[in-house]
Amino acid sequence: MSSERRIYKRISEKVQLAYRVIQSGSGSAQYVPNDRGEGESQDLSEGGLLFRTKEPMPLGTRLELELRFPDVKYVLYPKAKVVRLEEFSDGAYYEVGLEFNQIFEADKNLLLEHIARLEV
């Protein structure tokens, strides 16, 4: 039996992103995120993404994102919640798992089309 819990298929893709903290999480008091930051996605799905950043943030932190795709002219602006945080190389960088919790329908459709193109 697999322990895989994902609902959506993930694709491996590097997407530059910028974020703004709209509500800090209550996960760990040792991490107080900056108001704004940047990162690069490691993978992406209809339901969320995993990105790499130098800035740790507590679980439950809510972010407003700007996703810029390298080969297309649109920018997506979903809101997301931090559901995973993993530290690497003694704090040199972190991988942050996000779950989209608010995304415009048109943005969701563009994201699905983009994922479908890359799955082929």
Side-chain angles (χ1 to χ4, degrees):
M1 179 188 283
S2 171
S3 64
E4 181 66 42
R5 297 183 339 209
R6 292 187 177 135
I7 297 170
Y8 306 109
K9 175 159 178 39
R10 290 189 176 260
I11 59 167
S12 200
E13 183 175 25
K14 306 280 189 215
V15 174
Q16 293 302 309
L17 64 90
Y19 64 82
R20 182 176 73 85
V21 175
I22 53 179
Q23 180 183 5
S24 187
S26 58
S28 172
Q30 69 183 12
Y31 299 129
V32 179
N34 290 330
D35 289 342
R36 296 180 185 277
E38 297 180 341
E40 180 179 72
S41 72
Q42 303 303 298
D43 63 35
L44 177 69
S45 79
E46 174 186 348
L49 60 84
L50 178 71
F51 78 101
R52 187 172 287 178
T53 184
K54 293 182 179 181
E55 177 74 23
M57 56 192 66
L59 297 178
T61 298
R62 297 188 182 278
L63 305 173
E64 191 171 71
L65 302 173
E66 178 180 290
L67 304 176
R68 296 193 173 274
F69 293 85
D71 59 342
V72 290
K73 296 182 184 189
Y74 54 82
V75 177
L76 302 183
Y77 299 98
K79 292 184 180 169
K81 178 174 75 169
V82 175
V83 294
R84 177 180 154 208
L85 176 67
E86 193 169 344
E87 180 180 345
F88 291 89
S89 300
D90 293 325
Y93 69 93
Y94 299 84
E95 286 188 351
V96 179
L98 298 179
E99 178 182 273
F100 296 142
N101 56 12
Q102 186 178 357
I103 185 167
F104 292 111
E105 193 65 32
D107 285 354
K108 185 175 182 178
N109 291 336
L110 287 169
L111 179 60
L112 288 170
E113 289 172 16
H114 183 76
I115 290 169
R117 273 195 310 273
L118 294 177
E119 281 183 321
V120 179

